[in-house]
Amino acid sequence: MKFLVCISNVPDTTTKITFTPDNKEFNKAGVQFVINPWDEYALTRAIELKEAQGGGTVTVLNVGEADTEPNIRKALAIGADDAIRVNAHPKDAFFVAQQIASIAKDGGYDAILMGKESIDYNGFQVHGMVGELLGIPTVAPAMKLDMSGNTATLEREIEGGKEIVEVNTPFVASCQQPMCEPRIPNMRGIMTARTKPLKVVEPTADAARTEVAEYALPPKKQGVKLIPAESAGELIKLLRNEAKVI
Amino acid sequence: MSVLVVVECDGGEVKKSSLEVASYGSQVAQMLGTTATAVAVGEATEANLAKLGEQGISKVLYDAEPRLKDFVNGAYTKLIAAAAQKEESKVIVLANSNIGASVGSRLSMRLQASLATNVVELPKTDGGSFVVKRGAFSGKAFADVKLDGERKIIAVKKNSIEALHEAGKTAQVESFSAQLSDADFADAPKQVIMQDQAGGILLPEADKVVSGGRGMKGPENWHLIEELAKALGAATACSKPVSDVDWRPHHEHVGQTGITVSPNLYIACGISGAIQHLAGVNSSKVIVVINKDPEAPFFKAADYGIVGDVFDVLPKLTQAVKELN
Ligand SMILES: Cc1cc2nc3c(=O)[nH]c(=O)nc-3n(C[C@H](O)[C@H](O)[C@H](O)COP(=O)(O)OP(=O)(O)OC[C@H]3O[C@@H](n4cnc5c(N)ncnc54)[C@H](O)[C@@H]3O)c2cc1C
């Protein structure tokens, strides 16, 4: 089984978000970047399935500039076999999807796995675009993934429930919890990661379709209005008469 | 050249989020000087589809193929693309739901359209392009996204657009066939399992949510959350550690790794307000926090707060809601 796992490089969850003075770019200064938390489910599950089958490969793919390599190495340390970096600034979901599809097209991968969305851009788009470009099914978001021969069984979250879906390989799945318990690298993994192959390729020349004109922070909260616990019922009146939400 | 709106139906009813999407779409149509047509997916009744007139929809296309009752990505994508072609739609509006986002991303490639998800406001038009505001950085920021190109797809975030209600207006329901073949149903679900919903209110659709954290001490105390939720007509939710130890099912867990909700009212009971939790709830309109620790970080994100013991405060709140009704 050959897995292609797409990872993105995102600001650590606890990062305080600020922008460049013109509000056009995220301000990276002093920010710790991590593997997108949702992608960790895709990566770990691919490694688990490979181990369970006693064979196969897990290739990690990132569309990003050279500064993403520490996190690609981290994915290798967690257990991926090799990695590809498409050397480009990920302009938008469409751009990224095209790069992924162009790598996947001739790669013979049985499954292309990725996280549900990235925690910075929150697009939840790339999976479907890749599936459509390759003309293969997409299952998004997937909470469970098992494989037997060339059939994959997935649990797909729908509003208020789930669907059990069976698809044949190759397919694309965007993953979320509770698919598995994401792994962290151990010492041996970190040592071997250094020698695993990381191939850098140039992007296909396609353009983006969207552009961020401006970022903005939400308006500051007025500050909390505290109601004494003894007169808790007052809160309900405020929610009706002042906030008008009940 | 109408604006095409995708409405999701369930058990015969149009979902609340789709009423918002329909309202969004008809307002965009008005801006562009055209009409809004809906294409229905899921199990719908003609009477309910006709009522989409109240949201400004003039026509609804409905394919009664029974296999479309459950979500099938391949078939839904083909159906909506066929409807877009019939209506010569340059703008498609759908919900930022698991269905909407799954289909929207495939459609954007099939129709060569630019796509924005997680959209929270009506677009500003700028010549042929649109600028739409969308949530980014897990609710910690917004991005104004420019959509270029001839075709555009917008996925609207739940509870971010007020649904219109023009009583008495009806839409014309037209049967429509996308000529779907067996191959289009290759990814049809083998089984669909619906969860038990407290009070029948779906958490992702709810406009009020009562949520409990580790401060609730154990599942035996959840009746306090449920009673307040029932009185308010709210859905129930929880923090991650609560679902990790199985006090509550996973599908109630909100936050960065759980469900994202944006209700009008979010009441957090015995939840500290860790950043990962906030990521799933911070775009709620009004946040109420009940916590016995006045230093709990959640108070910083709250509009209203009570420093107190949940076991003492919750029954008082439930009582007050009952008195109000
Ligand atoms: C990668 C990652 C992803 C995560 N994703 C999520 C996520 O999606 N959702 C999520 O919720 N968490 C998530 N977490 C966990 C998060 O960091 C917090 O640990 C979690 O939200 C804390 O849950 P809690 O507030 O219920 O519990 P605690 O932090 O234990 O807080 C309990 C609160 O209850 C209060 N309390 C106790 N007793 C009472 C009482 N009798 N009356 C009133 N108040 C009382 C306490 O003062 C305290 O503030 C994630 C963490 C990581 C590392």
Side-chain angles (χ1 to χ4, degrees):
Chain A
M1 220 30 90
K2 279 182 79 174
F3 293 94
L4 183 66
V5 178
C6 311
I7 63 168
S8 70
N9 198 54
V10 297
D12 173 34
T13 324
T14 57
T15 303
K16 193 167 169 346
I17 303 299
T18 60
F19 302 103
T20 52
D22 63 0
N23 284 326
K24 286 209 178 294
E25 301 268 348
F26 170 67
N27 180 11
K28 287 186 177 180
V31 171
Q32 168 90 21
F33 279 77
V34 297
I35 300 175
N36 182 40
W38 300 104
D39 301 345
E40 293 183 9
Y41 293 100
L43 176 63
T44 300
R45 189 65 190 138
I47 296 166
E48 286 176 358
L49 287 168
K50 182 192 111 163
E51 286 170 355
Q53 290 162 353
T57 53
V58 176
T59 300
V60 170
L61 170 61
N62 168 256
V63 181
E65 287 159 329
D67 60 354
T68 68
E69 287 196 5
N71 281 326
I72 301 178
R73 287 282 171 211
K74 187 177 166 200
L76 293 169
I78 290 170
D81 298 286
D82 58 355
I84 303 169
R85 178 169 70 81
V86 178
N87 186 30
H89 174 67
K91 285 183 230 160
D92 73 346
F94 173 72
F95 177 84
V96 171
Q98 281 177 309
Q99 308 311 321
I100 295 171
S102 92
I103 299 284
K105 197 166 42 106
D106 304 315
Y109 299 102
D110 298 288
I112 301 168
L113 306 184
M114 59 185 74
K116 168 188 161 167
E117 65 182 23
S118 66
I119 63 161
D120 53 355
Y121 202 69
N122 305 110
F124 191 22
Q125 303 179 354
V126 173
H127 48 84
M129 293 179 174
V130 172
E132 186 71 16
L133 279 170
L134 297 172
I136 60 178
T138 20
V139 182
M143 304 188 286
K144 205 170 170 188
L145 166 62
D146 286 303
M147 305 215 22
S148 157
N150 67 347
T151 307
T153 306
L154 300 107
E155 272 183 26
R156 171 179 188 280
E157 187 182 68
I158 52 174
E159 276 77 9
K162 60 190 176 189
E163 285 183 354
I164 314 289
V165 184
E166 252 175 44
V167 290
N168 288 336
T169 57
F171 66 95
V172 181
S174 77
C175 307
Q176 68 171 40
Q177 81 157 26
M179 183 169 277
C180 56
E181 197 51 57
R183 288 187 192 176
I184 49 172
N186 58 28
M187 204 27 128
R188 192 169 157 270
I190 294 167
M191 300 305 286
T192 54
R194 289 191 195 145
T195 56
K196 288 180 178 173
L198 192 172
K199 192 164 87 182
V200 179
V201 301
E202 290 306 314
T204 54
D206 293 304
R209 276 193 193 149
T210 61
E211 184 194 333
V212 175
E214 196 177 1
Y215 284 105
L217 295 172
K220 274 234 167 359
K221 286 262 176 190
Q222 295 280 305
V224 57
K225 193 175 226 176
L226 289 176
I227 293 101
E230 309 80 70
S231 45
E234 285 303 308
L235 170 69
I236 298 303
K237 290 186 188 139
L238 286 169
L239 291 178
R240 164 142 315 169
N241 301 323
E242 188 178 81
K244 302 194 181 350
V245 286
I246 61 173
Chain B
M1 217 283 297
S2 24
V3 168
L4 186 68
V5 170
V6 180
V7 296
E8 297 174 26
C9 305
D10 196 10
E13 310 260 351
V14 178
K15 289 187 189 170
K16 174 175 166 279
S17 53
S18 288
L19 297 178
E20 295 163 5
V21 167
S23 306
Y24 188 104
S26 59
Q27 289 174 78
V28 173
Q30 206 160 39
M31 285 168 62
L32 301 177
T34 179
T35 55
T37 298
V39 54
V41 294
E43 190 179 19
T45 66
E46 217 174 297
N48 282 330
L49 294 178
K51 273 206 285 186
L52 283 163
E54 298 184 356
Q55 282 73 48
I57 300 293
S58 34
K59 183 166 77 178
V60 186
L61 304 177
Y62 182 48
D63 187 335
E65 151 73 66
R67 286 178 293 177
L68 288 167
K69 177 174 163 289
D70 298 318
F71 173 69
V72 186
N73 206 342
Y76 277 30
T77 305
K78 188 163 169 188
L79 172 76
I80 298 162
Q85 192 180 20
K86 175 175 166 4
E87 295 296 310
E88 295 174 21
S89 304
K90 301 280 193 283
V91 179
I92 301 178
V93 186
L94 28 74
N96 196 62
S97 60
N98 287 339
I99 290 176
S102 296
V103 175
S105 56
R106 287 198 81 107
L107 273 178
S108 74
M109 277 296 172
R110 192 165 302 186
L111 304 177
Q112 306 291 315
S114 52
L115 167 67
T117 47
N118 217 8
V119 170
V120 297
E121 276 179 11
L122 286 166
K124 294 181 189 66
T125 48
D126 173 10
S129 58
F130 276 13
V131 177
V132 287
K133 189 179 277 307
R134 73 191 300 290
F137 295 96
S138 304
K140 288 191 273 186
F142 292 103
D144 282 341
V145 180
K146 200 161 160 239
L147 298 181
D148 289 323
E150 210 194 341
R151 292 204 181 90
K152 298 160 185 88
I153 303 178
I154 297 173
V156 182
K157 185 170 174 172
K158 288 165 197 165
N159 287 321
S160 54
I161 294 290
E162 197 87 42
L164 305 169
H165 280 288
E166 282 191 66
K169 281 187 87 181
T170 53
Q172 173 201 341
V173 182
E174 222 176 73
S175 76
F176 174 69
S177 169
Q179 316 283 336
L180 299 168
S181 67
D182 284 351
D184 300 319
F185 290 92
D187 62 329
K190 295 280 172 273
Q191 199 186 347
V192 179
I193 302 161
M194 296 311 282
Q195 295 136 0
D196 286 337
Q197 305 296 329
I201 296 164
L202 282 180
L203 176 57
E205 297 265 312
D207 83 337
K208 298 183 205 81
V209 175
V210 183
S211 187
R214 206 139 56 175
M216 292 303 297
K217 303 286 191 296
E220 68 281 5
N221 299 321
W222 235 263
H223 66 97
L224 294 171
I225 298 277
E226 283 163 349
E227 282 153 12
L228 177 59
K230 185 156 179 259
L232 284 168
T236 58
C238 68
S239 68
K240 181 172 185 290
V242 163
S243 66
D244 284 349
V245 295
D246 284 336
W247 292 357
R248 300 297 289 181
H250 158 70
H251 67 258
E252 284 202 1
H253 144 212
V254 294
Q256 184 207 307
T257 48
I259 290 178
T260 304
V261 293
S262 47
N264 288 321
L265 175 62
Y266 184 79
I267 304 182
C269 312
I271 304 178
S272 58
I275 197 147
Q276 296 88 355
H277 185 84
L278 288 177
V281 306
N282 60 6
S283 52
S284 308
K285 262 190 206 111
V286 171
I287 295 180
V288 173
V289 171
I290 303 154
N291 198 305
K292 68 178 182 189
D293 172 10
E295 301 295 321
F298 222 146
F299 283 116
K300 289 205 182 68
D303 300 283
Y304 296 94
I306 296 180
V307 178
D309 190 320
V310 284
F311 300 103
D312 160 46
V313 171
L314 278 170
K316 284 188 184 154
L317 295 181
T318 306
Q319 186 57 33
V321 176
K322 286 183 178 157
E323 281 166 17
L324 202 64
N325 293 338

